[in-house]
Amino acid sequence: KLLVGESSVVEACQAVRALEPSCQHVQVFACFERTEGLPARNYWCSDGFDHDGNYDAYMGDDTQPFPAVFISFPSAKDPTWTDRYPGVSTCHIIAPLATDRFAAWEGKRVK
């Protein structure tokens, strides 16, 4: 549904503000001085097959292992990468992080 008119936008913003916080995710973008041997695929890593249980355990105690972590090497998937950026490769990691880990920055301005 498209938002039409100023009142629709205001209503949509109010609805978003009323939402409860959910799980946050942290993303790490890393560069390496290496290009050989990195896999051209994505990995989903978890501590077991009980994904809901792992998630609940982590959200209840963030010293527990991450319930799932996504790891990818985007540069290894790009056949032109080494020509454009010789000797450098990239890695992308995404993992959930309990919302309270961000409490210190609540209400602060993003730089």
Side-chain angles (χ1 to χ4, degrees), residues 13-92:
C13 290
Q14 290 171 341
V16 168
R17 284 189 198 103
L19 294 173
E20 292 292 321
S22 63
C23 176
Q24 306 297 309
H25 288 78
V26 63
Q27 296 188 54
V28 176
F29 297 95
C31 291
F32 300 108
E33 293 178 349
R34 174 185 172 189
T35 57
E36 296 82 26
L38 296 175
R41 62 181 65 85
N42 301 328
Y43 292 97
W44 280 101
C45 307
S46 66
D47 201 37
F49 293 107
D50 182 8
H51 302 297
D52 291 337
N54 292 342
Y55 178 84
D56 291 341
Y58 175 73
M59 288 303 155
D61 176 7
D62 64 9
T63 64
Q64 296 296 310
F66 287 121
V69 177
F70 172 81
I71 304 170
S72 181
F73 298 92
S75 57
K77 299 176 196 177
D78 182 349
T80 67
W81 182 269
T82 54
D83 294 332
R84 294 180 295 134
Y85 307 99
V88 178
S89 61
T90 60
C91 178
H92 185 192

